[in-house]
Amino acid sequence: MTVPRSTLRLQFHRGFTFDDAARRVECFAALGISHLYASPITTAEPGSMHGYDAVDYTQVSAEYGGEAGLKRLVDALRAHDMGLIVDIVPNHMGVGGSSNAWWLDILEWGRHSTYARHFDVDWHSPDPALRGKVLLPTLGASYGEELAAGRIGLHFAPDGGRFYIGYGPHVFPVCPVDYAAILQGADRADLSALAHRFQGLTTQPADQPRAAEARDALREFVEREGESAIEFVLQTYAPEDPLTRDRLHRLIERQHFRLAWWRTASDEVNWRRFFDISTLAAVRVERPEVFEAVHALIFRLYREGLVDGLRIDHIDGLAEPREYCQRLRQRLSELRDTAPYVVVEKILGRGEPLHDDWPVDGTTGYDFMNDVGALLHDPAGAEPLARTWAEITGRSASFADEARAARRKILAENLSAELDRAARALHRIARDSLSTRDFTYTTLRRVLVELVVHFPVYRMYPQNGLRSAADNVYFEQALDGARASLPRSDHAALERVNAWLGGSTEDAPPARPGAQSQQAQGGAPPPHAGSSRRSAQTLFSQLSAPLAAKAIEDTACYRYGRLLSRNEVGSDPGEFALSVEQFHAGNLERAQRFPHAMLTTATHDHKRGEDVRARLAVLSEIADEWGATLRAWSTLNAPQRRAPDGTPISSVSQDKSDAWAPGPAAEAMLYQTLVGCWPPALRADDEAGVNELAERVAQWQLKALREAKLQTSWLAPDEAYEAGCREFLFGILAPQRRDGFLKELSAFVERIGRAGALNSLQQTVLRLASPGIPDLYQGTELWDFSLVDPDNRRPVDFATREMWLPQTQTPPSEFLADWRNGRVKLAVIQRVLALRAHLPELLSQGTYLPLTVRGVHASSVIAFARRHGNAWAVVIASRLATGLLGSDTDLPLVEPAQWADTAIEMPPDLSARALFDWLSPAAPKVDDHGLLCLRDALAAMPVAVLMEDGVPRS
């Protein structure tokens, strides 16, 4: 297997192509990267900036440079002995435009489409208006309103000889079965002759080739006679006239889709989406033919040696993640002799293991990002910060309260259709048994709501219809919560649902007499009890996973503001801090179970850049001071508040209500955001720089307010309130306040900036030296003060990085004095990656040994050793050091004398040996008692990587 030493994540789009990346390969190699890690490379919706809305799995994106451009990039990588890992998206495709041929085919032919079973469509909806149809919630207003306004019309595509319903940029194919009636409506002999070719067509697959031939004849006719001939046909369906508009409506009603207002999606959509996004349709990759179609290009690229590994997006969206990983590994192993490197995007709860029977190399690193982030926080700050948050905002001090409320809201308003589908699956099981047939749909839905509301992780993974012991750890928590929430009259139904969802195989109902499998029509109820239960289990998992994502990451994390550095993808904001011992335990487990898992601290999905989080973590060490600062700033900026309608107000009552913009919670989170992302070199009197920052924060603020779904939302935006919030932001950052709030803000950032930089260097070294494969996100080689997307996907200044990289022999400590420009971080990354190249087995396979620290400031240090054979590396980092940073220096460094008697108990093999620091000129010596004094080890840098050998000289 080609295991990376290190990876660099790049986001490709039409503004940053394969050729753009190829021109930077030498820079990446100089940094020490072994593999580029690319965002999805298949063809996405035109103009996509992320690639997760694939419309064609079979083609490399032409916008990125096509397959030829990809090969040029790989050639450049191979010239530097580098490889390529690509992100693949097997769970969903983009269906929001007119570029997805698979989707258009099912709109045209319905359940008899070649691709009807490629998508997770419920063709047997209980709604008669949707049976055999696909709901298309794309209209900007109600169907009747849009039809009457003439915004929906019949059109003809001459290049394909196709009629389609058009709405803005959207294309909805008309079924060829209706072509005969359409052409005859013009009452012209030549068109009637063409209509005859379509007479008697059905949607059956056997008739579809004849339809294609008839369309070719129609296309040739239009080419010969001109498009004006077809205008006669279109006029008979013109939406402007009531008579022809009614004919258009009746034509639309006969199609295999139902056009609807976008607001109907949450309640009525009859196909599985990615989360609640109605422009992304889920793919049934568990079907063998779909699996092969989805992966055909990637398999070929892997076989040809262009691709070395895969990152699997949203593994929890798949029906059977275990089986998917096993099938993927088997197919890849058949294509090349070397085993592929495969990691999965998986959000793990605290204590939740990645399953050993998934043949993958680990996760993409959210679990490590959570651990190293929590390590930066002082547990003593948890209670006072929570108390301050509750007092200022009137909201709960507990994240769990916000999470449960958010789950209920998302179920009711965003995932109601998905909830109904899962409840119907349970209801079908109940109806199959005499003992349970009186459990009503409403009762089962109520039970299901409580189970998923209290389910503590993304999903379960039953095998052969039964939950594992690992699954039951979390399912029992959901059961306990449901029992406490449900009336006793529902407990009997709850216990049966528990059994059906994998708790037991007892009392399984027999198959219904005469039941026939309708699976061939796509999504029909399974034919026997075991299949019915497995279907219900899958639907439960495909409900609990998006609910967790939408309710926790995309709602509660925007409502709860104890400390925003813990509100991150893959983290539990209710878990405030992690001890050194807990961090070591996580590293030891990873070293044993998944030694090649990715280690990341920044991703394309992060809500705040890694250095924003590192700086905000400092507030946990000065919780009382921060609470006083919040109150002072709120009082200072009260004149800038706006009424809920956005108009200025002079004073506001102190009743803790949100009857003003932005409101106490949003205001408190705004101050944290400003503190976190304020650039180190920005001055309060830099009007242009402050305005640029304000624009970035305003973009974050709008997203945060809508994601919180309190005063405004994506579904029902309150534009007046949003405008008031924006005015408040720009008001407090206005140039005339450079001697007021702006001065205080910049001074506070200066006050904690050094400690934030120290935290950043700590998490950087831990990522580079812990068991696993360090992953860098584009641009984070320097300070990363980005906010949530699209801010974290801004263009990267590669030129500066290229200019600073050549000085490989200059120790990072030489750049500490100018730490604000971020060059010290770049140097640390380059130097430790050089160590990974110099002694690759040491940090990739070496034993992980936690080291004990003793002395007065032992709690402010983390240390461990890596050993492989006779080679050793000792990694040391300052932590929770705000109180140790003196005022006599501007450096993010604890003065050596401050460490006093603090020392590390070194392994016996290193006793009385001189060690060399790869990050500074220091050469501390282990004394005769086996102790390494921190005043020696961290004299020049807040972090150290000690070796018996010095840095190799070129």
Side-chain angles (χ1 to χ4, degrees):
M1 177 175 65
T2 304
V3 178
R5 284 195 321 272
S6 56
T7 60
L8 173 65
R9 168 76 179 206
L10 293 178
Q11 291 293 120
F12 287 104
H13 49 82
R14 61 187 176 188
F16 186 79
T17 67
F18 298 138
D19 286 332
D20 292 323
R23 285 190 286 271
R24 307 295 181 183
V25 165
E26 187 172 354
C27 170
F28 303 149
L31 181 61
I33 299 300
S34 73
H35 287 69
L36 286 190
Y37 162 29
S39 61
I41 62 173
T42 50
T43 300
E45 290 282 6
S48 174
M49 296 298 288
H50 49 76
Y52 287 97
D53 45 0
V55 296
D56 187 351
Y57 284 121
T58 68
Q59 298 292 323
V60 176
S61 171
E63 289 190 349
Y64 307 166
E67 194 163 330
L70 178 65
K71 289 179 177 178
R72 289 192 295 272
L73 171 58
V74 173
D75 287 343
L77 292 171
R78 300 299 186 231
H80 290 81
D81 296 321
M82 297 170 67
L84 178 66
I85 296 166
V86 298
D87 198 339
I88 62 172
V89 191
N91 178 67
H92 55 268
M93 296 185 79
V95 296
S98 58
S99 303
N100 191 323
W102 292 4
W103 186 251
L104 294 177
D105 198 74
I106 71 166
L107 300 186
E108 187 172 38
W109 293 106
R111 73 184 81 179
H112 292 130
S113 164
T114 303
Y115 306 101
R117 299 169 77 187
H118 282 48
F119 296 96
D120 207 347
V121 179
D122 182 4
W123 295 104
H124 301 271
S125 171
D127 182 354
L130 283 177
R131 286 177 192 158
K133 293 178 181 285
V134 176
L135 182 74
L136 296 179
T138 57
L139 304 182
S142 70
Y143 170 76
E145 181 180 337
E146 296 293 77
L147 186 67
R151 288 188 280 269
I152 303 172
L154 178 65
H155 301 271
F156 182 75
D159 56 340
R162 278 184 163 87
F163 288 104
Y164 66 92
I165 303 300
Y167 177 75
H170 301 283
V171 170
F172 311 118
V174 171
C175 181
V177 170
D178 285 304
Y179 280 30
I182 292 172
L183 293 168
Q184 288 171 340
D187 196 23
R188 281 181 42 155
D190 50 0
L191 294 177
S192 295
L194 282 171
H196 181 72
R197 291 177 173 269
F198 294 94
Q199 290 287 358
L201 276 179
T202 71
T203 58
Q204 293 296 325
D207 271 1
Q208 293 180 26
R210 184 161 73 89
E213 294 174 1
R215 267 201 304 252
D216 285 342
L218 177 58
R219 176 179 51 80
E220 291 168 0
F221 170 82
V222 174
E223 286 178 354
R224 185 174 61 252
E225 301 294 330
E227 291 185 36
S228 59
I230 217 72
E231 285 298 321
F232 290 101
V233 175
L234 302 181
Q235 286 303 313
T236 63
Y237 291 87
E240 293 79 13
D241 179 81
L243 181 63
T244 53
R245 182 168 63 242
D246 181 66
R247 185 179 295 136
L248 172 63
H249 164 64
R250 284 185 277 113
L251 173 65
I252 294 171
E253 289 291 279
R254 293 195 299 270
Q255 302 312 303
H256 300 294
F257 53 81
R258 179 190 157 208
L259 296 182
W261 191 12
W262 64 268
R263 291 180 182 274
T264 65
S266 297
D267 295 329
E268 295 188 345
V269 70
N270 63 333
W271 43 275
R272 188 165 62 89
R273 303 172 289 174
F274 173 70
F275 297 169
D276 62 344
I277 303 174
S278 298
T279 56
L280 297 175
V283 177
R284 300 183 67 187
V285 75
E286 67 273 14
R287 301 190 62 82
E289 70 275 16
V290 181
F291 177 88
E292 292 297 330
V294 166
H295 297 87
L297 172 66
I298 292 299
F299 286 161
R300 179 172 62 79
L301 296 177
Y302 180 75
R303 185 183 68 247
E304 294 174 358
L306 296 176
V307 170
D308 301 292
L310 302 176
R311 181 254 199 199
I312 314 304
D313 180 66
H314 190 47
I315 192 74
D316 278 339
L318 307 183
E320 302 286 353
R322 177 191 302 104
E323 286 76 2
Y324 171 83
C325 292
Q326 292 170 346
R327 180 182 293 172
L328 181 68
R329 175 70 70 175
Q330 178 181 351
R331 287 288 285 112
L332 291 170
S333 298
E334 294 169 355
L335 297 172
R336 263 167 61 181
D337 293 337
T338 56
Y341 178 72
V342 179
V343 289
V344 294
E345 186 205 33
K346 166 66 183 156
I347 304 296
L348 294 168
R350 175 61 61 201
E352 180 187 9
L354 183 64
H355 288 249
D356 290 313
D357 54 0
W358 293 15
V360 299
D361 295 290
T363 72
T364 55
Y366 288 120
D367 47 331
F368 179 82
M369 184 163 74
N370 179 30
D371 287 359
V372 76
L375 183 68
L376 301 178
H377 290 72
D378 185 347
E383 193 280 330
L385 287 173
R387 183 175 63 249
T388 295
W389 169 254
E391 290 173 355
I392 287 177
T393 66
R395 302 192 68 82
S396 174
S398 168
F399 178 74
D401 292 339
E402 291 286 14
R404 280 192 294 272
R407 283 174 177 268
R408 294 188 187 282
K409 184 178 183 67
I410 294 298
L411 277 177
E413 298 180 14
N414 298 75
L415 298 176
S416 180
E418 288 79 1
L419 172 63
D420 286 342
R421 190 175 182 187
R424 286 198 302 273
L426 294 172
H427 194 223
R428 285 194 293 269
I429 298 173
R431 288 291 178 89
D432 281 342
S433 173
L434 297 179
S435 62
T436 59
R437 72 180 204 174
D438 289 335
F439 287 153
T440 65
Y441 168 81
T442 302
T443 296
L444 295 172
R445 190 181 190 275
R446 195 161 54 238
V447 165
L448 183 59
V449 165
E450 296 307 318
L451 280 174
V452 292
V453 161
H454 291 94
F455 201 71
V457 292
Y458 261 52
R459 61 170 287 173
M460 60 181 187
Y461 307 94
Q463 194 166 10
N464 297 322
L466 285 175
R467 298 193 300 267
S468 66
D471 288 332
N472 280 328
V473 169
Y474 302 104
F475 203 89
E476 287 295 332
Q477 294 178 42
L479 281 173
D480 290 343
R483 289 189 188 104
S485 300
L486 289 166
R488 291 185 61 84
S489 57
D490 285 343
H491 285 195
L494 175 63
E495 295 310 315
R496 288 302 186 109
V497 170
N498 173 29
W500 297 337
L501 293 180
S504 170
T505 58
E506 295 178 4
D507 301 324
R512 287 175 292 175
Q516 299 294 317
S517 173
Q518 299 176 18
Q519 196 98 351
Q521 269 94 64
H528 54 80
S531 296
S532 294
R533 290 188 176 202
R534 284 192 289 273
S535 176
Q537 291 163 12
T538 296
L539 290 171
F540 178 83
S541 295
Q542 290 178 332
L543 173 64
S544 66
L547 176 61
K550 291 301 298 180
I552 304 303
E553 298 169 20
D554 293 344
T555 304
C557 280
Y558 287 100
R559 294 181 174 188
Y560 183 74
R562 172 172 61 179
L563 195 55
L564 295 183
S565 45
R566 294 300 295 136
N567 294 20
E568 192 50 78
V569 178
S571 301
D572 174 8
E575 179 190 70
F576 189 76
L578 206 66
S579 69
V580 168
E581 292 73 23
Q582 288 171 311
F583 180 80
H584 284 322
N587 271 352
L588 285 166
E589 181 181 6
R590 190 177 301 106
Q592 179 182 0
R593 298 184 65 239
F594 293 100
H596 301 139
M598 278 186 173
L599 309 177
T600 192
T601 48
T603 76
H604 60 286
D605 279 334
H606 68 234
K607 298 187 182 301
R608 289 162 193 87
E610 57 186 32
D611 300 311
V612 175
R613 299 193 305 272
R615 184 190 288 168
L616 287 177
V618 177
L619 302 182
S620 70
E621 302 179 62
I622 55 170
D624 291 333
E625 179 185 343
W626 173 244
T629 300
L630 269 181
R631 291 179 171 89
W633 286 355
S634 185
T635 300
L636 176 64
N637 291 324
Q640 304 307 316
R641 295 171 180 171
R642 301 296 191 270
D645 63 0
T647 58
I649 51 177
S650 57
S651 63
V652 177
S653 64
Q654 303 299 310
D655 61 0
K656 303 296 189 295
S657 72
D658 287 356
W660 48 277
E667 182 187 22
M669 295 172 90
L670 173 61
Y671 293 142
Q672 286 191 56
T673 300
L674 289 170
V675 166
C677 73
W678 184 274
L682 180 62
R683 302 185 314 275
D685 60 356
D686 180 354
E687 186 173 338
V690 171
N691 188 68
E692 179 184 357
L693 176 67
E695 290 290 352
R696 288 178 50 219
V697 174
Q699 190 176 46
W700 162 83
Q701 182 185 55
L702 178 62
K703 182 168 185 173
L705 293 171
R706 289 186 175 181
E707 294 286 13
K709 306 171 186 67
L710 293 170
Q711 303 294 104
T712 185
S713 69
W714 298 107
L715 290 176
D718 184 337
E719 295 180 359
Y721 168 75
E722 293 170 356
C725 293
R726 179 181 172 88
E727 289 298 318
F728 178 83
L729 168 62
F730 279 85
I732 66 176
L733 297 182
Q736 58 266 37
R737 269 163 280 286
R738 64 170 58 94
D739 295 323
F741 173 67
L742 275 172
K743 182 178 180 180
E744 291 198 13
L745 173 61
S746 61
F748 187 86
V749 171
E750 183 70 13
R751 152 97 166 81
I752 69 170
R754 289 186 300 149
L758 184 148
N759 279 346
S760 292
L761 295 175
Q762 172 196 341
Q763 74 176 355
T764 297
V765 165
L766 294 182
R767 169 166 52 91
L768 296 171
S770 291
I773 308 302
D775 172 50
L776 283 74
Y777 179 65
Q778 60 178 28
T780 60
E781 306 88 0
L782 301 180
W783 298 135
D784 174 28
F785 292 103
S786 63
L787 299 171
V788 73
D789 66 279
D791 194 62
N792 62 10
R793 302 175 189 177
R794 288 175 296 155
V796 177
D797 178 9
F798 287 110
T800 296
R801 290 154 177 81
E802 288 179 341
M803 179 177 64
W804 283 351
L805 271 173
Q807 298 181 21
T808 56
Q809 302 308 319
T810 305
S813 57
E814 293 296 310
F815 304 114
L816 192 64
D818 294 322
W819 61 269
R820 287 176 179 79
N821 64 18
R823 193 171 181 178
V824 63
K825 181 183 178 185
L826 174 67
V828 167
I829 292 171
Q830 184 184 29
R831 187 60 66 90
V832 181
L833 290 183
L835 172 59
R836 295 186 75 99
H838 178 57
L839 294 172
E841 295 85 5
L842 178 61
L843 295 182
S844 65
Q845 303 174 29
T847 303
Y848 182 89
L849 300 170
L851 299 179
T852 300
V853 185
R854 63 162 70 170
V856 64
H857 296 306
S859 62
S860 292
V861 181
I862 180 172
F864 58 85
R866 305 296 306 277
R867 179 182 185 179
H868 186 267
N870 294 322
W872 286 85
V874 176
V875 180
I876 309 169
S878 313
R879 64 182 295 269
L880 304 183
T882 301
L884 299 179
L885 294 176
S887 58
D888 296 335
T889 177
D890 183 49
L891 299 179
L893 178 70
V894 176
E895 289 290 320
Q898 283 283 87
W899 289 114
D901 65 341
T902 311
I904 299 169
E905 296 180 7
M906 298 292 281
D909 286 2
L910 295 179
S911 294
R913 295 190 186 184
L915 299 173
F916 300 91
D917 185 10
W918 273 55
L919 306 182
S920 76
K925 185 176 181 180
V926 181
D927 68 20
D928 293 337
H929 302 288
L931 297 179
L932 178 67
C933 294
L934 268 296
R935 60 176 177 267
D936 297 327
L938 298 182
M941 283 283 283
V943 291
V945 179
L946 307 180
M947 303 281 298
E948 287 192 89
D949 298 319
V951 180
R953 302 299 175 187
S954 56

